[in-house]
Amino acid sequence: MAEREPNAHQFTLDEALGADTTRFMDLGNPDYAYMFGFLQADGHLAKGAGQKGSLTVEINVRDISILREFQRLTPYNSSVTERTRSTNYAENHRSVTWTLCSLEARTKLNQLGLPYGRKSKKITPPRVEFSRRDYLRGVIDADGSVGYTGKGFPFISLTTASTAIGAYLCHYAKKITGAERIIKRNARDAIYNIVYTMETAQALSAHLYYPGLPVFGAQAGSS
């Protein structure tokens, strides 16, 4: 496994201290609502000794612009690094990782509903006011897919282990499209696979990916 950081950038302490931290993770802001949904699905919050710890998000290098935007939105020291490693799918898989270590930032995220450690079954929609469609778009971009089937039919889907997230998507999608889904874990790995197709997928996608939405680059979960 080869690791490299040729494009790594880290905010300076002066930049961090000069930034306004009071609005960080205001989920009424579409940018932060999207970011929080993405972090709940694809982020990892880890504790270390004492007050140490980190939040990390690792995705395909093609989606680096998403992490650059997260870095821009975060008024604390953070870094974006690249690495190349062998995986089951590719001998030279290039990924990019965003790392945030600030205790203040981690505490805020944890209080909003990003658990430490294993979280896939624990995550729930925020219990504060939040921009709902931007939040769901973040979840789907991280753990879902938007595109066309092999026969050219539109679809939008989400794969999640969280009952609360799966139920929330179904509830929200019914309000927008009228289509009802009853979630059920699959027998193989106890995961929910929620799929919308055809006109329902078009209507839901048009609502979630609305004109003028915050731009984060390519959809990490898209096909």
Side-chain angles (χ1 to χ4, degrees), residues 24 35 38 60 75 81-82 90 100 128 133 147 175 221:
F24 177 64
M35 181 176 173
F38 198 101
N60 193 292
T81 58
E82 293 181 34
L100 171 68
V128 299
R133 62 178 171 178
K175 289 173 58 178

Side-chain angles (χ1 to χ4, degrees), residues 22-68:
T22 59
R23 295 187 178 182
F24 177 64
M25 280 295 130
D26 172 5
L27 300 188
N29 181 315
D31 288 331
Y32 285 127
Y34 175 95
M35 181 176 173
F36 187 70
F38 198 101
L39 294 179
Q40 274 194 319
D42 235 12
H44 179 68
L45 199 55
K47 284 186 177 181
Q51 296 185 336
K52 293 181 179 180
S54 65
L55 167 69
T56 56
V57 184
E58 183 175 8
I59 59 178
N60 193 292
V61 72
R62 70 171 181 263
D63 297 315
I64 190 173
S65 58
I66 295 176
L67 301 189
R68 291 292 189 201

Side-chain angles (χ1 to χ4, degrees), residues 66-120:
I66 295 176
L67 301 189
R68 291 292 189 201
E69 186 66 8
F70 289 174
Q71 189 178 41
R72 184 189 69 81
L73 289 167
T74 303
Y76 302 92
N77 282 344
S78 68
S79 63
V80 174
T81 58
E82 293 181 34
R83 69 171 176 167
T84 302
R85 60 192 173 94
S86 296
T87 69
N88 293 334
Y89 305 102
E91 185 174 341
N92 294 304
H93 173 72
R94 293 180 62 207
S95 65
V96 59
T97 301
W98 178 55
T99 303
L100 171 68
C101 295
S102 165
L103 175 62
E104 184 176 354
R106 287 186 286 115
T107 300
K108 178 70 172 178
L109 288 163
N110 181 246
Q111 290 173 342
L112 286 172
L114 180 59
Y116 277 92
R118 293 183 177 273
K119 61 172 176 52
S120 59

Side-chain angles (χ1 to χ4, degrees), residues 40-41 123-126 130 132-146 155-184 192-197 200-201 203-205 207-209:
Q40 274 194 319
I123 56 174
T124 66
F130 64 103
R132 287 164 173 74
R133 62 178 171 178
D134 296 291
Y135 167 78
L136 276 175
R137 192 176 69 257
V139 172
I140 290 171
D141 275 4
D143 271 357
S145 191
V146 182
F155 76 91
I156 180 169
S157 66
L158 175 66
T159 300
T160 181
S162 165
T163 301
I165 296 297
Y168 185 74
L169 172 61
C170 292
H171 171 75
Y172 190 89
K174 183 179 179 181
K175 289 173 58 178
I176 300 304
T177 70
E180 187 170 5
R181 293 289 185 277
I182 305 299
I183 62 173
K184 182 179 180 180
Y192 298 110
N193 294 300
I194 305 163
V195 182
Y196 297 91
T197 60
T200 301
L204 184 58
S205 296
H207 177 77
L208 296 178
Y209 296 87

